């Protein structure tokens, strides 16, 4: 079997597709995160990119919701379900959770766009939770777990980044 064929087989397996039958996850192909990560890393090694993609020094910068890594953006339109409610984006959830007031949280949840939600969440005329600085990482972690846990296609793309450092690249915010 030539190298290209091996790469194609590994890619199919990583995507949960039986290379012989073409059937998806129903075919019993293992799709655990560790198996998928190992398969994608094997593909990268065979394609000659493994050294840079499997080390921590590989960096993926993203910001916009478009492009190859746009799915990583908190503004990307992948709804999540948390706290018994649907949220249009991770950004909606994160910004809403800054506030104690359920009315303010609901206003942000109903915002038409992630940008609108962000603007509402940055409005300091409404008091934020006293412990916000202590809990904001936990809130973001929960939102991201929901996003990548509730969208299989996104989880596979995330795993395909291997060990790369993922950086939201913004001029005005060096925290994230």
């Amino acid at each position: 079997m030539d190298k290209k064929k091996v790469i194609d087989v590994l890619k199919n397996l990583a995507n949960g597709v039986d290379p012989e039958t073409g059937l998806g996850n129903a075919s019993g192909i293992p799709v655990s995160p560790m198996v998928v990560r190992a398969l994608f890393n094997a593909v990268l090694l065979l394609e000659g990119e493994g050294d840079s993609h499997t080390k921590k020094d590989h960096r993926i910068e993203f910001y916009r919701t478009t492009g190859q890594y746009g799915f990583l953006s908190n503004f990307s339109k992948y709804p999540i379900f948390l706290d018994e409610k649907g949220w249009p984006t991770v950004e909606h959830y994160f910004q809403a959770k800054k506030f104690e007031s359920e009315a303010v949280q609901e206003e942000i949840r109903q915002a038409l766009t992630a940008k609108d939600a962000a603007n509402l969440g940055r409005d300091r005329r409404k008091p934020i939770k006293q412990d916000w600085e202590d809990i904001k990482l936990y809130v973001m972690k929960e939102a991201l777990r929901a996003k990548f846990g509730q969208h299989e296609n996104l989880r596979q793309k995330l795993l395909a980044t291997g060990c790369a450092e993922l950086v939201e690249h913004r001029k005005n915010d060096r925290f994230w």
Side-chain angles (χ1 to χ4, degrees):
M1 190 179 299
D2 69 353
K3 185 176 173 181
K4 184 182 177 340
K5 180 72 173 167
V6 170
I7 290 171
D8 290 342
V9 168
L10 290 172
K11 283 181 179 178
N12 280 334
L13 287 170
N15 288 314
V17 177
D18 184 326
E20 291 182 14
T21 66
L23 296 176
N25 288 336
S27 64
I29 298 298
V31 292
S32 77
M34 192 166 24
V35 169
V36 171
R37 190 176 306 115
L39 290 167
F40 274 113
N41 284 336
V43 169
L44 293 172
L45 284 169
L46 286 170
E47 289 179 334
E49 300 176 15
D51 291 339
S52 64
H53 282 72
T54 56
K55 291 181 182 175
K56 286 271 187 200
D57 63 353
H58 179 68
R59 182 178 170 112
I60 294 172
E61 295 179 349
F62 64 94
Y63 177 64
R64 303 204 181 287
T65 59
T66 57
Q68 181 179 3
Y69 298 108
F71 72 96
L72 293 169
S73 170
N74 295 331
F75 281 50
S76 62
K77 295 180 184 177
Y78 295 98
I80 59 173
F81 188 80
L82 273 172
D83 300 339
E84 300 180 15
K85 293 181 181 178
W87 301 87
T89 67
V90 165
E91 191 69 19
H92 283 78
Y93 181 81
F94 180 78
Q95 295 297 339
K97 291 302 172 175
K98 289 180 178 180
F99 303 95
E100 294 284 351
S101 167
E102 288 189 34
V104 173
Q105 288 185 16
E106 188 60 21
E107 177 187 10
I108 294 171
R109 190 175 77 84
Q110 295 293 331
L112 292 178
T113 68
K115 184 177 181 181
D116 293 341
N119 289 337
L120 288 168
R122 294 178 184 132
D123 181 355
R124 290 299 167 252
R125 292 176 289 183
K126 298 170 185 150
I128 64 172
K129 292 179 179 177
Q130 287 184 340
D131 64 347
W132 178 244
E133 289 302 314
D134 297 328
I135 67 167
K136 70 181 180 182
L137 290 176
Y138 172 79
V139 171
M140 182 60 79
K141 186 176 178 181
E142 289 302 304
L144 292 174
R145 278 189 174 155
K147 178 179 176 178
F148 293 103
Q150 295 170 16
H151 297 278
E152 175 68 24
N153 61 326
L154 298 183
R155 182 171 47 253
Q156 298 303 323
K157 287 181 175 185
L158 177 63
L159 291 170
T161 64
C163 296
E165 178 184 15
L166 306 177
V167 178
E168 183 182 41
H169 188 62
R170 292 181 47 192
K171 293 177 187 174
N172 300 331
D173 184 354
R174 297 183 49 86
F175 180 79
W176 296 105

